[in-house]
């Protein structure tokens, strides 16, 4: 009930947007404390606040594959679909674009990139993400074993464009 | 025997109730004497029968008494046999058929004789002599039978208390007099062995019946409390107990203190661990890795440039590769067969297939490299896959033909569960090499060539006019 996709949301790639994340990972996120406590009833604005508190980019980590906050917010984005329906197509994705364009919160930018990558068409992806190669800010990254490391934003975007699996989410290959 | 009728067979189902004769539980032949209140039971006859019993076994008893006193060691036949004998006697019950209750009671009260084993079988004369000697030792013993008070009877059925008391007094007097006589003799001994006296003083309280039978007695001398061994011993024991108790208490206290200390340590440790664990959480990791972009801007820029250039290069190469592939495919489509063959040869030379097959020794073990991860082997990423696993071991270099037939097996087979008789395939090859067609002699070869359709098998020349015309 609380985990239902917004009924106004459109399908993404022909399916429920939340299903873009694998079932196992999704269930793990639903059972996570952070999700239950903080991600409940988030809107696009409050999401910004939450994203501001992010510390690292990660998928699931550790022995029991705990979902990271980044991943929880990612799923939240998919759930609420921050595109305002009814607007003209040109104005859609405004919110996400804003997330990406803003220079202050780099983790929010990363989040936006990830969301864009999974939902948008490849033309949009190429057009939006390529300029971001210029951004070489540091991001903390937590790998599957839980080990922290530093990556750069441009590396992260590069992964988004090329890799099959980042942060425990399967991305469709770009052409 | 495995029949169902046999009692101890496994198939035995139990007694067949139809076969056994029925025995009712109630047996009317036995008479049950009932007890009724107020009625004296049958065996309780007053007086008469009791006295009768007394006189008869008197002499026997006296004899027994003498023997007991005289013998150095009186051994009973083992209790089992005597008991058994008694039981048997009771079972048969010959003597006791016509017995009344009183008689039975008297019989029970009579003490059975002890069988002497050590004493030699003596003649009647000796016995009487012994008797006299014994009597002499025992002063003032009246031999007259019938005088119940003085005769030393063990009959406890003497219900007359007074007589018993009188007897006791007399015995005491006798004992005292005896002691007085022997006092002088023992005085010397007393001085030497004072400890024995203590025992003797206890000895006083022993039963009177034992006194005349014992040897020469020691004179009891008073020992003050301070010198008494027993008291001293008792005190020592008490002191030790007290010491032990005190030590225990002390130890208990120590242990308490120790355990307290241990507990404190443990709690501290746990608290530490908890703290560390809590710290180990994201926080510490995050703090360790600095997220700050203000530092080392120049360095960061350099690194970024390198990365960017690498990416560009990578993209270019990918594009190039793609291009080459398309070109190659197009070119190949346009080739003729010859050219294709040449191209294949060239490619084969460029990418050699697996390295030359090694020569295996006799019964050398073959190692299958497996079907997975061969891309790693081909590319050379993983050094593990580049190893040559067909290098012979020391035991494989050794010529196994020298071994006995049973040991001519591959490595790791002999003596183990996986050992099989099969060693190598040619061992079980039953081809008959003497067959005419399998010989590789010239005759056979010519014959084969002459056979129909076999003539031109090895000849690869094209049929030409030259040959035909010949």
């Amino acid at each position: 009930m609380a985990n239902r996709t917004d009924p106004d949301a459109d399908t993404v790639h022909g399916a429920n947007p939340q299903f873009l994340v694998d079932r196992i990972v999704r269930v793990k996120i639903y059972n996570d404390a952070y999700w239950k406590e903080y991600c409940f009833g988030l809107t696009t604005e409050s999401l910004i606040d939450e994203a501001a508190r992010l510390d690292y980019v990660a998928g699931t980590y550790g022995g029991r594959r705990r979902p990271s906050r980044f991943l929880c917010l990612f799923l939240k984005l998919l759930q609420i679909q921050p595109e305002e329906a009814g607007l003209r197509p040109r104005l859609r994705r405004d919110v996400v674009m804003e997330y990406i364009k803003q220079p202050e919160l780099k983790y929010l930018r990363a989040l936006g990139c990830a969301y864009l990558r999974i939902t948008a068409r490849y033309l949009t992806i190429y057009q939006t993400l390529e300029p971001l190669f210029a951004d070489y800010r540091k991001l903390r990254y937590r790998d599957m074993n839980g080990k922290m490391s530093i990556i750069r934003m441009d590396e992260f975007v590069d992964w988004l464009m090329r890799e099959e699996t980042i942060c425990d989410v399967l991305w469709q290959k770009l052409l | 025997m495995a029949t169902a009728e046999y009692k101890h067979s496994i198939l035995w189902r139990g007694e067949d109730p139809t076969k056994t004769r029925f025995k009712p539980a109630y047996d009317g032949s036995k008479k049950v004497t009932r007890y009724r209140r107020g009625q004296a039971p049958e065996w309780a006859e007053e007086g008469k029968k009791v006295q009768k019993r007394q006189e008869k076994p008197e002499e026997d008893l006296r004899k027994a008494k003498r023997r007991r006193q005289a013998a150095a060691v009186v051994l009973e036949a083992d209790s089992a046999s005597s008991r058994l004998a008694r039981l048997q006697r009771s079972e048969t019950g010959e003597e006791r058929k016509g017995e009344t209750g009183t008689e039975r009671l008297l019989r029970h009260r009579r003490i059975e004789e002890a069988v002497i084993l050590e004493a030699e079988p003596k003649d009647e004369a000796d016995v009487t002599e012994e008797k006299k000697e014994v009597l002499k030792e025992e002063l003032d013993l009246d031999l007259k039978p019938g005088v119940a008070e003085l005769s030393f009877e063990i009959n406890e059925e003497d219900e007359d208390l007074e007589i018993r008391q009188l007897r006791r007094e007399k015995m005491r007097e006798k004992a005292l007099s005896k002691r007085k006589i022997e006092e002088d003799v023992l005085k010397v001994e007393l001085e030497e062995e004072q400890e024995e006296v203590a025992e003797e003083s206890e000895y006083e309280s022993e039963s009177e019946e034992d006194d005349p039978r014992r040897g020469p007695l020691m004179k009891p001398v008073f020992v003050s409390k301070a010198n008494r061994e027993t008291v001293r011993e008792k005190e020592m024991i008490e002191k030790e107990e007290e010491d032990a108790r005190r030590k225990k208490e002390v130890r208990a206290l120590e242990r308490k203190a120790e355990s307290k200390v241990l507990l404190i340590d443990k709690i501290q440790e746990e608290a530490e661990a908890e703290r560390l664990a809590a710290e180990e959480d994201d926080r510490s990791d995050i703090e360790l890795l600095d997220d700050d972009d203000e530092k080392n801007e120049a360095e960061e820029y350099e690194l970024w440039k390198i990365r960017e250039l690498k990416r560009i290069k990578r993209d270019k190469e990918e594009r190039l590769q793609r291009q080459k592939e398309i070109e190659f495919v197009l070119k190949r489509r346009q080739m003729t067969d010859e050219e294709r063959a040449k191209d294949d040869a060239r490619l084969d030379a460029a990418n050699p297939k697996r390295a030359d097959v090694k020569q295996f020794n006799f019964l050398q073990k073959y190692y299958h490299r497996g079907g997975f991860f061969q891309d790693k082997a081909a590319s050379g990423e993983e050094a593990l896959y580049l190893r040559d696993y067909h290098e012979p071991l020391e035991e494989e270099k050794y010529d196994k033909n020298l071994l006995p037939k049973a040991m001519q097996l591959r490595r790791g087979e002999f003596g183990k569960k996986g050992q099989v008789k099969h060693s190598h395939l040619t061992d079980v090859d039953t081809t008959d090499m003497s067959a005419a067609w399998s010989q590789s002699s010239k005759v056979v070869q010519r014959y084969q060539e002459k056979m129909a359709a076999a003539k031109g098998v090895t000849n690869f020349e094209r049929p030409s006019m030259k040959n035909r015309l010949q």
Side-chain angles (χ1 to χ4, degrees), chain B residues 96-107:
Chain B
R96 305 187 231 289
K97 257 194 186 151
E99 208 177 41
T100 60
T102 335
E103 287 177 333
R104 193 175 67 234
L105 195 69
L106 291 172
R107 177 171 48 82

Side-chain angles (χ1 to χ4, degrees), chain A residues 16-59:
Chain A
N16 186 342
Q18 276 196 88
F19 290 176
L20 288 166
V21 179
D22 282 349
R23 193 183 171 280
I24 298 168
V25 180
R26 219 183 327 129
V27 169
K28 282 221 159 82
I29 297 170
Y30 291 157
N31 294 332
D32 190 42
Y34 179 74
W35 171 270
K36 286 180 188 170
E37 195 181 338
Y38 292 95
C39 298
F40 183 78
L42 272 186
T43 61
T44 44
E45 288 87 33
S46 40
L47 197 133
I48 296 168
D49 298 325
E50 280 301 319
R53 288 169 44 199
L54 273 179
D55 279 316
Y56 54 91
V57 174

